[in-house]
Amino acid sequence: NYYSAQAVSSASRAGLLTGCYPNRIGFAGALGPKSKTGLNPDEETMAENLKKAGYATAIVGKWHVGCRPGLMPLDHGFDEYFGLPYSNDMWPHHPQTSSYPPLPLYEGRKVVNPSVSAADQAQLTTRYTEHAVDFITRRSEGPFFLYLAHSMPHVPLFVSDKFKGKSEQGLYGDVMMELDWSVGEVLRTLEELGLERNTLVIFTSDNGPAPSFRQLRTNGMRGVKNSLYEGGIRMPFIIRWPGVIEAGKVDDTTVVCAVDLLPSLCKIARARLPKGYRSSGEDMSRALLGKPSVRKGDLMWDFGRNEAFMFPRDRYHRSPSLAIRRGNWKLLLNPDGSNAQLYDIAADINETKNLAEKNPALVRDLSKTVLAWWERRPRIGTGKQ
């Protein structure tokens, strides 16, 4: 029962890093290379909170929440950075547009490769892994926070020669096999350095599979990326801490969201939140550590640009632009109140049985809550961003 903060990359990552709903801080979709906006410097990220508590901080991989000077990782609490400033498909070889500039690779504030090629893309997963392992090794004497955000399996797909053709499941399978190797290298490093029992590891994703990947599966869940159905925002969430979290335990009841991670991890790390900080998320640290926990409030999503991203003739991918989850109930609707869809997620994870007509009072209550929340959002360009 884990959710991303949004159904698309930039907004999802902004929510994870700040603990704020993306629409509260001006994020509606995915930022492009020419975007002049990004994560507001006034917003304190997870990295900034942990850095104040003595943690060394690094991001390796995809950033995608602002590529202008003053909006990059080192401006938001990270000591080290190696990776791409936005998505790896935002390059001149994009199959649908040639308007993208050359794709740069950064180390710190320096561009170390001004124009990433196909050969370079094939080495991204390997190079990210090497930098992640190096950071952990160098910082092993003190507390550290590593945000390893792989560019793959976002299209375009590339894989190194050491995994090419090895999965027997096509290119996508090879890419996933290399990502699996990468995670293994990180875990092996922790074990070799004697850090395994003192390190919390979380594995998750930012949004559902792209509509172009028709062969991908969401285990029957309706919707994909850019959709507020479960297939667009409900993500795998694997957490590991030997000696603290029981191995092999499955929690399919507690509802957790990416916006909960900042307050939860700061609680676990004993890092202070900023004075006057108001998180959209809740402290769900007990749930993360495998202890009984119940969510107190609702979860809400606003994908205001939903229609612009969808395929008008493809009903499977379209969804209303607002959603709210309370307990096992999830309501989707548009800002004008139309297209209300109510689902009991515990009984119908695939969202096939619309129970709105049978529960009019609940629909009114949930609608009132999410519409009031939506009306309070800052307009794009006028908020903190």
Side-chain angles (χ1 to χ4, degrees):
N1 268 290
Y2 173 82
Y3 290 96
S4 61
Q6 188 52 281
V8 70
S9 178
S10 295
S12 175
R13 292 161 194 263
L16 182 148
L17 287 167
T18 66
C20 296
Y21 283 127
N23 67 343
R24 294 279 77 94
I25 52 177
F27 277 82
L31 301 180
K34 299 177 182 179
S35 175
K36 298 180 180 180
T37 61
L39 199 59
N40 190 285
D42 293 338
E43 298 293 342
E44 289 205 21
T45 67
M46 192 183 299
E48 288 174 291
N49 296 147
L50 293 172
K51 187 174 181 178
K52 289 179 181 179
Y55 281 69
T57 59
I59 170 177
V60 176
K62 179 179 176 180
W63 174 237
H64 212 182
V65 287
C67 59
R68 300 289 181 181
L71 302 174
M72 295 287 279
L74 270 58
D75 302 307
H76 284 289
F78 288 99
D79 297 318
E80 301 181 25
Y81 169 47
F82 178 82
L84 303 181
Y86 32 80
S87 185
N88 65 317
D89 69 329
M90 294 178 174
W91 67 332
H93 307 292
H94 192 285
Q96 296 173 329
T97 176
S98 59
S99 64
Y100 287 127
L103 177 64
L105 177 68
Y106 277 80
E107 184 160 7
R109 298 187 188 277
K110 182 181 178 181
V111 175
V112 294
N113 184 345
S115 182
V116 170
S117 66
D120 298 321
Q121 291 244 21
Q123 295 301 315
L124 279 180
T125 300
T126 296
R127 296 192 69 184
Y128 288 171
T129 306
E130 292 171 348
H131 276 76
V133 167
D134 177 66
F135 171 76
I136 294 172
T137 303
R138 287 186 290 103
R139 298 292 191 167
S140 60
E141 296 301 318
F144 62 83
F145 168 60
L146 170 64
Y147 175 37
L148 175 55
H150 277 292
S151 294
M152 308 297 160
H154 196 293
V155 292
L157 296 177
F158 291 92
V159 68
S160 68
D161 288 341
K162 61 181 177 292
F163 288 100
K164 193 172 184 178
K166 297 296 178 62
S167 72
E168 299 183 359
Q169 299 294 325
L171 178 57
Y172 193 90
D174 296 345
V175 168
M176 296 306 297
M177 192 175 184
E178 187 163 31
L179 290 173
D180 186 58
W181 163 82
S182 175
V183 174
E185 288 296 289
V186 170
L187 297 182
R188 179 186 59 78
T189 301
L190 293 175
E191 184 177 2
E192 290 180 351
L193 293 172
L195 303 175
E196 187 180 32
R197 298 179 70 84
N198 197 35
T199 304
L200 179 70
V201 178
I202 296 174
F203 183 93
T204 188
S205 186
D206 57 352
N207 49 247
S212 57
F213 275 107
R214 300 304 177 115
Q215 73 272 31
L216 298 189
R217 298 290 181 266
T218 57
N219 199 30
M221 290 187 295
R222 185 178 183 180
V224 287
K225 177 181 180 179
N226 301 326
S227 165
L228 296 184
Y229 291 123
E230 295 290 279
I233 55 176
R234 186 157 170 164
M235 299 295 108
F237 189 80
I238 304 170
I239 187 165
R240 182 179 189 268
W241 191 354
V244 178
I245 301 173
E246 179 185 349
K249 183 176 181 180
V250 176
D251 180 356
D252 59 0
T253 58
T254 307
V255 180
V256 179
C257 181
V259 294
D260 300 329
L261 294 188
L262 186 149
S264 301
L265 294 180
C266 283
K267 177 67 175 294
I268 293 171
R270 299 176 183 175
R272 290 186 178 182
L273 293 173
K275 185 177 181 180
Y277 175 77
R278 293 198 309 162
S279 172
S280 300
E282 297 182 17
D283 172 13
M284 299 296 290
S285 55
R286 287 181 55 84
L288 299 192
L289 299 180
K291 300 175 183 178
S293 184
V294 177
R295 180 170 211 90
K296 297 177 183 178
D298 303 325
L299 277 177
M300 287 171 278
W301 295 265
D302 163 24
F303 197 16
R305 294 175 61 189
N306 196 27
E307 294 302 315
F309 279 102
M310 296 302 99
F311 298 87
R313 297 181 182 178
D314 195 336
R315 184 176 58 84
Y316 181 80
H317 293 133
R318 296 180 70 181
S319 74
S321 58
L322 297 176
I324 177 172
R325 175 152 179 182
R326 178 182 298 169
N328 290 330
W329 292 106
K330 180 181 173 187
L331 177 75
L332 299 95
L333 76 166
N334 290 321
D336 61 2
S338 65
N339 199 12
Q341 302 173 34
L342 180 69
Y343 301 102
D344 179 349
I345 297 300
D348 181 24
I349 190 175
N350 298 335
E351 295 169 295
T352 60
K353 301 176 182 177
N354 185 358
L355 303 177
E357 291 186 2
K358 296 181 179 179
N359 298 273
L362 180 59
V363 170
R364 286 194 298 271
D365 187 21
L366 292 175
S367 297
K368 182 179 179 180
T369 300
V370 72
L371 288 173
W373 169 82
W374 179 76
E375 285 291 345
R376 293 194 300 269
R377 78 198 188 287
R379 298 298 190 266
I380 301 301
T382 60
K384 286 187 176 182
Q385 196 170 336

